[in-house]
Amino acid sequence: MTTMAAATAGGRTARPRPATMAQALGRALRDSMAEDPTVHVLGEDVGTLGGVFRVTDGLAKEFGDDRCTDTPLAEAGILGAAVGMAMYGLRPVVEMQFDAFAYPAFEQLASHVAKMRNRTGGAMPLPITVRVPYGGGIGGVEHHSDSSEAYYMATPGLHVVTPATVEDAYGLLRASIASDDPVVFLEPKRLYWSKSDWSPEEPAPVEPIGRAAVRRPGRSATLITYGPSLPVCLEAAEAATAEGWDLEVVDLRSLVPFDDETVTASVRRTGRAVVVHESSGFGGPGGEIAARVTERCFHHLEAPVLRVAGFDIPYPPPMQEKHHLPGVDRVLDAVARLQWEAGS
Amino acid sequence: MTVQELPGAPAHRPTPPPAWKPLTDPAPLLPDPEPYRVLGTDAAADADPELLLRLYAELVRGRRYNAQATALTKQGRLAVYPSSTGQEACEVAAALVLEERDWLFPSYRDTLAAVARGLDPVEALTLLRGDRHTGYDPREHRIAPLCTPLATQLPHAVGLAHAARLKGDDVVALAMVGDGGTSEGDFHEALNFAAVWRAPVVFLVQNNGFAISVPLAKQTAAPSLAHKAVGYGMPGRLVDGNDAAAVHEVLAEAVARARRGEGPTLVEAVTYRMDAHTNADDATRYRGDAEVEVWREHDPILLLERELTGRGLLDEEAVGTVREAAERMAAGLRDQMNADPVLDPMDLFSHVFEEQTGQLREQAAMLRDELEAGQEPHGGGAEDAR
């Protein structure tokens, strides 16, 4: 493994070392700030503390309080101020501490951030990145585990991006900050400590927003997923080989824009699809994705497009969340149901 | 029984915490109990005649603008118009007090402030006509889009002023909000941010008595809206909102203070909305004629006209000249608004994102096909309503 190689080579810094997703995100912020003096980070606890997940660690020290600012505790105020900063030519990156804490800022997001380019006829785009740690699986108490992506997806004018790998965390956050459109950047918090061999000197490439990635090629069915559910799907795909299933796993990486091309091509190849995500199924992202797939692939489908989602309940207490979150078995059960026969 | 009295407890007393001290002395921040006035007082002698005459011309033009825009709603040329008749002194003073490099953050009722700042009257009305949300480039005029949600533009003003200061520009942002808007969370968050950041912002509350139909007494229990400033650590100023000279003076002081780096000010201008909330509202349901009549005697144009005439700065001929200029503006506005705007339906997809997404390209293609096939739009809407 590269990790071992780096260690035995005497720890030369250029060699890839294990880095966490949180570190890669921090590095993306740092590199963006170093390259572009208009990039400003603001939020509650992002300065001295370095963020509750330490993503912004060291930024205030390196760039000063004016570039990495601890704000009053007020999400609408943080995002509203970011709108004004962007109007004056800055490129604010806002941190919402937890998914459910972002709701007070929703009016700013829906009424202003998402609409400013449109309502000014293109005269005033807002290059704002809103970082939202989201999803469950870390034992967080109430209001610390919401999967809020459907709200953002349903708001025209926002890009909604969610990385599932350390490399994507870096590359997609760089791309989001560089984008002249507002981006809601959803960080799967249970993957913050996931690791990959990663060299800060040769960071992952910055890829355009809006392209899905085939994480595992396969022939018998497609698992369509993103963010925190990607590792679940990859594990399910490995387990399914015992049953003779060769599953393809597509990581969407971006919910808006949606990569119809990659998804459609995959499902047309495999003829079967399951959408997997943590957020509630009813009115959730899976319904939209299943509908799009059905509209484009109907004659290629051997079975209905299935959804494996969180239950339609408010996020449960941490000691119960294991029942709510889709796990490998639930994905495999859905895959088994893909052996569907007309009339059955 | 205290801890010390417990049998066998050690005779230990922890060091007491330091005495609490307020961060700021509230006294200098408190507004005067009575709204500040210039016209009809000794202070008027110090007022610059040139400024008073300019304010007068803008007030008359503004009143005519409000009347013309209201007339255009009756002719179906404007979807809706929230008139600022009676509040022209606030609108005009807010516009005239700013330098060109400064920014204005108007609410939906502040079209007149945007026009007084130099915006083309038709460009200022596109939102209310319904052809474009914002008919001008905000950066070109340093006027933010007219804001329909209440108080949400206030944090923008704070962020913009903060950004300007970080860049070393001595730019001031003036943000306008109504009495109802002061109840919103964004009002609180904006004022708090502005004070903590010492942002060069002036908040102008036009207290016109009503939030649609709800009177101030049902909106707040504060002694005045200007008093709210104290809680944020910024000065609150109370001014007669129908006294154009007083509003201009108080705002000018607040702008100068902001430009000197001394932070934000909250100004409450006490005024009255003479017309209904919009042309769609029936004001007789929530207020009586007698109340409106009292305010008619305190009309901003009347107050200034009386002062200028008394001081020999205005005669009938000069009044005539000002009124003729206002009529010319109104006629021009009428003519321009009578021409149907030329709209391209494909513009619907042009400015959602920098680059159209695949989904939007598909939808644009669908609409283009419909247009090329000559299909009549059947979704209902403003065109059908007329």
Side-chain angles (χ1 to χ4, degrees):
Chain A
M1 271 177 72
T2 339
T3 317
M4 294 297 287
T8 50
R12 278 203 304 265
T13 49
R15 289 293 181 86
R17 289 174 282 122
T20 65
M21 179 181 278
Q23 286 168 332
L25 291 165
R27 183 73 192 193
L29 291 171
R30 194 222 153 255
D31 289 355
S32 297
M33 291 174 87
E35 262 174 38
D36 181 352
T38 66
V39 175
H40 284 242
V41 168
L42 63 157
E44 165 78 0
D45 299 312
V46 297
T48 309
L49 184 67
V52 293
F53 294 107
R54 302 292 181 270
V55 170
T56 57
D57 197 17
L59 297 179
K61 207 170 179 188
E62 184 172 353
F63 298 101
D65 294 344
D66 285 346
R67 297 280 306 280
C68 179
T69 308
D70 275 333
T71 62
L73 204 172
E75 288 75 14
I78 295 167
L79 189 53
V83 169
M85 290 165 75
M87 287 170 87
Y88 204 76
L90 298 184
R91 212 167 261 279
V93 184
V94 159
E95 177 175 305
M96 296 286 157
Q97 203 159 70
F98 281 91
D99 29 58
F101 298 180
Y103 301 147
F106 198 78
E107 185 180 11
Q108 284 294 341
L109 194 74
S111 293
H112 294 295
V113 175
K115 290 179 178 168
M116 192 66 87
R117 176 190 285 278
N118 187 259
R119 66 202 276 245
T120 60
M124 194 177 258
L126 294 181
I128 297 175
T129 304
V130 186
R131 295 181 38 241
V132 187
Y134 83 121
I138 64 160
V141 295
E142 200 181 17
H143 304 299
H144 290 73
S145 299
D146 282 15
S147 297
S148 36
E149 56 266 37
Y151 304 134
Y152 304 123
M153 288 173 70
T155 306
L158 300 175
H159 285 321
V160 184
V161 172
T162 177
T165 68
V166 177
E167 290 77 9
D168 270 0
Y170 180 87
L172 288 174
L173 184 53
R174 290 296 307 269
S176 299
I177 296 170
S179 168
D180 277 341
D181 286 314
V183 179
V184 176
F185 193 84
L186 298 167
E187 300 175 1
K189 61 174 101 69
R190 71 162 141 153
L191 300 184
Y192 268 145
W193 303 280
S194 64
K195 284 185 179 173
S196 175
D197 292 338
W198 190 74
S199 163
E201 281 71 25
E202 292 170 48
V206 177
E207 293 202 43
I209 293 167
R211 285 192 198 157
V214 176
R215 297 293 181 195
R216 184 191 191 281
R219 288 173 294 108
S220 37
T222 303
L223 302 180
I224 303 165
T225 191
Y226 56 87
S229 294
L230 176 65
V232 175
C233 287
L234 289 173
E235 200 185 327
E238 285 309 311
T241 54
E243 305 288 326
W245 286 90
D246 179 21
L247 298 177
E248 180 147 306
V249 179
V250 174
D251 171 10
L252 293 173
R253 306 164 90 225
S254 154
L255 298 168
V256 183
F258 187 84
D259 185 353
D260 281 307
E261 211 176 316
T262 301
V263 171
T264 303
S266 174
V267 178
R268 285 186 179 179
R269 260 196 318 271
T270 63
R272 293 176 168 88
V274 181
V275 190
V276 183
H277 59 62
E278 282 187 18
S279 79
S280 301
F282 188 84
E288 173 63 32
I289 296 165
R292 302 188 78 80
V293 168
T294 308
E295 283 171 357
R296 282 163 180 76
C297 309
F298 186 69
H299 292 294
H300 301 262
L301 286 172
E302 305 288 340
V305 180
L306 300 180
R307 286 172 291 167
V308 176
F311 296 135
D312 299 332
I313 57 173
Y315 199 85
M319 293 176 81
Q320 297 266 47
E321 68 180 345
K322 59 182 179 289
H323 304 298
H324 168 73
L325 295 170
V328 171
D329 288 345
R330 211 170 278 166
V331 176
L332 291 174
D333 285 348
V335 169
R337 278 192 285 137
L338 288 175
Q339 285 173 318
W340 182 85
E341 284 172 27
S344 68
Chain B
M1 191 191 282
T2 67
V3 173
Q4 270 69 27
E5 288 164 332
L6 282 171
H12 171 70
R13 191 183 283 274
T15 316
W20 178 82
K21 275 191 295 206
L23 294 169
T24 310
D25 176 8
L29 307 179
L30 280 165
D32 291 332
E34 283 294 312
Y36 178 66
R37 292 196 171 90
V38 169
L39 302 177
T41 74
D42 294 344
D46 298 331
D48 173 14
E50 210 172 303
L51 173 68
L52 294 184
L53 284 167
R54 189 154 172 234
L55 285 169
Y56 177 73
E58 286 292 338
L59 285 187
V60 172
R61 200 170 81 108
R63 175 67 51 88
R64 188 66 190 84
Y65 181 89
N66 275 326
Q68 187 57 57
T70 303
L72 286 166
T73 63
K74 293 180 183 139
Q75 294 152 19
R77 284 290 171 184
L78 268 185
V80 65
Y81 186 70
S83 164
S84 59
T85 294
Q87 302 176 221
E88 291 93 342
C90 301
E91 299 285 310
V92 162
L96 297 194
V97 80
L98 296 177
E99 303 283 341
E100 205 178 317
R101 63 187 178 283
D102 296 332
W103 273 75
L104 181 74
F105 285 79
S107 82
Y108 60 89
R109 196 181 297 286
D110 303 319
T111 325
L112 188 53
V115 172
R117 185 162 164 77
L119 192 63
D120 178 84
V122 174
E123 286 186 355
L125 284 175
T126 57
L127 171 77
L128 301 164
R129 171 156 68 173
D131 57 324
R132 294 174 69 180
H133 294 313
T134 303
Y136 55 92
D137 180 343
R139 284 205 181 93
E140 185 190 335
H141 300 277
R142 265 103 31 225
I143 302 172
L146 295 171
C147 189
T148 309
L150 294 189
T152 53
Q153 83 280 24
L154 306 184
H156 306 171
V158 177
L160 181 134
H162 176 65
R165 192 151 152 260
L166 291 179
K167 283 193 176 182
D169 302 340
D170 71 338
V171 165
V172 173
L174 190 152
M176 305 174 78
V177 67
D179 42 302
T182 65
S183 300
E184 292 279 2
D186 280 50
F187 173 84
H188 159 66
E189 297 191 21
L191 267 69
N192 192 44
F193 269 66
V196 171
W197 284 355
R198 284 176 83 84
V201 187
V202 177
F203 299 101
L204 172 60
V205 178
Q206 289 180 74
N207 171 6
N208 68 10
F210 294 91
I212 303 189
S213 68
V214 179
L216 188 70
K218 287 188 182 176
Q219 195 67 241
T220 181
S224 80
L225 298 173
H227 275 83
K228 289 175 183 256
V230 185
Y232 299 103
M234 72 174 79
R237 299 294 310 273
L238 195 55
V239 63
D240 182 336
N242 286 20
D243 180 335
V247 182
H248 190 276
E249 188 184 320
V250 168
L251 289 179
E253 278 171 17
V255 167
R257 192 174 166 272
R259 218 184 291 286
R260 287 196 302 269
E262 292 170 29
T265 306
L266 173 65
V267 177
E268 176 188 357
V270 183
T271 182
Y272 196 79
R273 191 187 76 212
M274 299 303 289
D275 290 342
H277 165 61
T278 70
N279 48 297
D281 167 41
D282 175 11
T284 62
R285 293 178 73 108
Y286 53 85
R287 67 187 190 189
D289 288 345
E291 178 183 324
V292 182
E293 278 314 305
V294 172
W295 281 91
R296 214 177 288 286
E297 318 243 303
H298 197 65
D299 184 282
I301 297 179
L302 209 63
L303 295 182
L304 191 51
E305 209 167 70
R306 207 177 283 152
E307 183 78 39
L308 288 167
T309 318
R311 283 172 63 183
L313 293 167
L314 194 71
D315 55 22
E316 247 174 70
E317 195 189 331
V319 171
T321 309
V322 167
R323 289 197 181 149
E324 275 165 37
E327 282 308 320
R328 275 198 304 278
M329 180 277 303
L333 176 59
R334 202 167 46 232
D335 290 347
Q336 283 176 279
M337 291 295 287
N338 277 332
D340 284 323
V342 181
L343 304 177
D344 179 359
M346 298 316 293
D347 277 350
L348 290 174
F349 301 98
S350 302
H351 305 295
V352 182
F353 297 113
E354 186 176 26
E355 262 182 68
Q356 282 180 12
T357 60
Q359 293 79 49
L360 288 176
R361 278 195 299 274
E362 282 177 15
Q363 290 162 29
M366 187 181 95
L367 180 59
R368 192 180 292 112
D369 288 350
E370 285 180 6
L371 293 167
E372 280 170 5
Q375 282 182 28
E376 284 297 313
H378 45 72
E383 289 299 318
D384 298 345
R386 273 176 198 165

